[in-house]
Amino acid sequence: MGSVEEILGELNRDAFVSLLQKVIGESEHVQNNPPELIPQEVRVANHVLEVLRPLSTECGGPLIVNHVSYSPGRSNLIVEYPGTESGKILSFVGMHMDVVTANPADWEFDPFALSIDGDKLCGRGTTDCLGHVALVTQLMKKLGETKPELKSTVVAVFIASEENSSITGIGVDALVKNGLLDKLKNGPLFWIDTADKQPCIGTGGMIPWKVHVTGKLFHSGLPHKAINALELGMEAVKEIQLRFYKHFPAHPKEKDYGFATPSTMKPTQWSYPGGGINQIPGECTIAGDVRLTPFYNVADVLKKLQEYVDDINLNIEKLDSRGPVSHYVLPDENMRGRLAISFEEAFSGVACNLESRGFHVLCKATEKVVGYVKPYSITGSLPLIRELQEEGFDVQTAGYGLMATYHAKNEYCLLSDMAQGYKVFTSIISQLED
């Protein structure tokens, strides 16, 4: 009998594309944008089960398949290929069966049907994350068919609801809460939900914020009688940003982890109640986010942002203004402009353990298959893996789609990249047998 890598061989490209075609055909029904769009991951899970059930223990095969739902239509699948040594395990997790939304009118091709253009596999979910669902399904299928003798149990966990992690009790959080993933703590857990074929070793935390600005509405021909909420908002957010970057500058460890950017705080949305062009607005709301590298504490940032706003309110007359009659205090009317800041749910980033066995085997496999290894970090957020890390799992992350098309219009992946991903998986399994 040959080595594990020889037994598992190459990706069966025809079988992979056939399954991908079926699951991309369900992508319209697994868009995740509640309350309008509630994904029905069972539609994808059924295609995975169609491939793997004939190799399951209920049909006389080696695979142990557990279909778990905590809400109607919201499927999770746990698939195990048992090893010979108790407690020795490795897992591939994070292949989520939902997708972000897509508007067909904005795309050059139908997002909800797989189209093939040479090496390109095009459609919503090819990169994130139905491509990975199909890829890991092929790995588990090959294990079930060839039945190599492994010391380690290999587990694949296909999950629901990664694209809207604010809705809890549906996917991996529920599996952890109910103890169904406890044994995965005994070995490396590879979260397969990033891109570009390299280890992603760090992600950012996120703090969504809103600053509501109150001024005084008045006729634009009499600006001295108004407190312009738009001008106050611009200057206040600028001042908040300046203070943020002073207190949370680039951290020395960001270089070690290869973060593309340091922590950032910026506005991304602006709204106001409306009015005529000849009216100076009396209120507006500016919203945005903080993206925080994992070397800073979210609670510290929340505290500082509130302090900044409190101090600006106390000293609002010292804030820069716009022109000779722009001001934020009307003494004759005993009126002051003011700010109020609020936050939605915040979460921390992740710094993977660079000393773990999981990290080393992932790097070695990547170098062997791809030809080089260059771990990277981004301030994009994967809150679910932070929760896994806090629960004691050795989480490493990788993915084989394209960052350039991640959540983007005209999403696609490359078949050749997915084939390399399959070889990385077989190399990881082989290394952990040694």
Side-chain angles (χ1 to χ4, degrees), residues 74-374:
R74 310 301 305 278
S75 293
N76 300 273
L77 295 176
I78 305 172
V79 183
E80 298 183 30
Y81 178 77
T84 59
E85 293 190 11
S86 176
K88 194 173 176 68
I89 200 164
L90 70 125
S91 57
F92 299 98
V93 185
M95 301 79 64
H96 55 91
M97 297 182 286
D98 60 334
V99 300
V100 295
T101 58
N103 181 356
D106 295 334
W107 286 50
E108 296 174 3
F109 47 81
D110 184 354
F112 305 129
L114 182 69
S115 54
I116 301 172
D117 179 11
D119 196 32
K120 288 184 178 181
L121 303 174
C122 309
R124 175 56 91 212
T126 48
T127 271
D128 179 40
C129 189
L130 300 180
H132 291 135
V133 170
L135 183 63
V136 177
T137 299
Q138 294 306 312
L139 175 69
M140 300 309 292
K141 178 186 178 186
K142 185 58 77 73
L143 286 168
E145 290 174 337
T146 59
K147 303 177 185 177
E149 185 175 315
L150 301 179
K151 299 173 187 176
S152 297
T153 293
V154 180
V155 181
V157 184
F158 306 90
I159 63 171
S161 196
E162 198 278 343
E163 291 298 1
N164 198 314
S165 56
S166 62
I167 297 178
T168 59
I170 299 292
V172 71
D173 61 317
L175 296 175
V176 171
K177 182 180 178 180
N178 287 282
L180 296 183
L181 304 186
D182 283 355
K183 64 183 178 181
L184 304 190
K185 296 177 183 178
N186 294 327
L189 184 157
F190 300 96
W191 184 270
I192 309 302
D193 185 28
T194 55
D196 288 352
K197 303 187 292 187
Q198 294 296 323
C200 180
I201 56 176
T203 64
M206 182 181 177
I207 304 173
W209 55 265
K210 288 183 180 179
V211 172
H212 186 73
V213 183
T214 302
K216 182 192 174 185
L217 184 148
F218 215 80
H219 193 286
S220 64
L222 301 167
H224 61 295
K225 292 183 174 292
I227 296 176
N228 191 322
L230 299 183
E231 291 183 349
L232 174 54
M234 292 180 210
E235 293 297 339
V237 169
K238 177 184 175 182
E239 180 63 24
I240 292 168
Q241 288 178 289
L242 290 172
R243 297 187 190 191
F244 172 86
Y245 289 115
K246 179 180 178 181
H247 289 117
F248 303 99
H251 193 284
K253 286 188 178 180
E254 291 164 10
K255 184 177 180 181
D256 297 335
Y257 274 76
F259 272 94
T261 67
S263 300
T264 58
M265 185 234 173
K266 65 280 183 193
T268 59
Q269 295 178 335
W270 192 298
S271 62
Y272 87 114
I277 199 168
N278 62 347
Q279 288 180 305
I280 295 174
E283 63 178 299
C284 67
T285 300
I286 307 166
D289 67 12
V290 171
R291 295 289 177 151
L292 195 67
T293 61
F295 316 111
Y296 287 113
N297 187 289
V298 166
D300 291 342
V301 177
L302 292 170
K303 181 181 178 183
K304 281 293 184 185
L305 292 177
Q306 186 63 60
E307 288 177 358
Y308 302 158
V309 169
D310 292 344
D311 182 64
I312 291 170
N313 279 332
L314 286 173
N315 299 281
I316 207 155
E317 63 277 355
K318 297 179 182 178
L319 203 61
D320 285 347
S321 57
R322 306 280 181 106
V325 293
S326 174
H327 43 221
Y328 312 126
V329 179
L330 298 174
D332 293 345
E333 300 182 43
N334 194 27
M335 181 176 289
R336 299 168 62 87
R338 63 183 184 276
L339 314 174
I341 191 167
S342 60
F343 306 100
E344 296 180 15
E345 183 181 10
F347 46 82
S348 300
V350 172
C352 293
N353 181 1
L354 304 188
E355 303 301 321
S356 80
R357 174 75 167 144
F359 175 68
H360 292 303
V361 300
L362 176 58
C363 285
K364 186 175 179 180
T366 301
E367 185 170 26
K368 177 180 178 180
V369 174
V370 179
Y372 69 98
V373 59
K374 188 178 180 180

Side-chain angles (χ1 to χ4, degrees), residues 33-108:
N33 188 30
E36 294 84 6
L37 296 171
I38 307 296
Q40 293 295 291
E41 290 94 344
V42 66
R43 299 176 72 113
V44 173
N46 284 339
H47 292 296
V48 175
L49 289 170
E50 183 181 15
V51 173
L52 298 182
R53 185 173 280 132
L55 299 165
S56 69
T57 52
E58 65 182 276
C59 297
L63 300 180
I64 301 170
V65 178
N66 188 9
H67 187 180
V68 183
S69 296
Y70 297 102
S71 181
R74 310 301 305 278
S75 293
N76 300 273
L77 295 176
I78 305 172
V79 183
E80 298 183 30
Y81 178 77
T84 59
E85 293 190 11
S86 176
K88 194 173 176 68
I89 200 164
L90 70 125
S91 57
F92 299 98
V93 185
M95 301 79 64
H96 55 91
M97 297 182 286
D98 60 334
V99 300
V100 295
T101 58
N103 181 356
D106 295 334
W107 286 50
E108 296 174 3

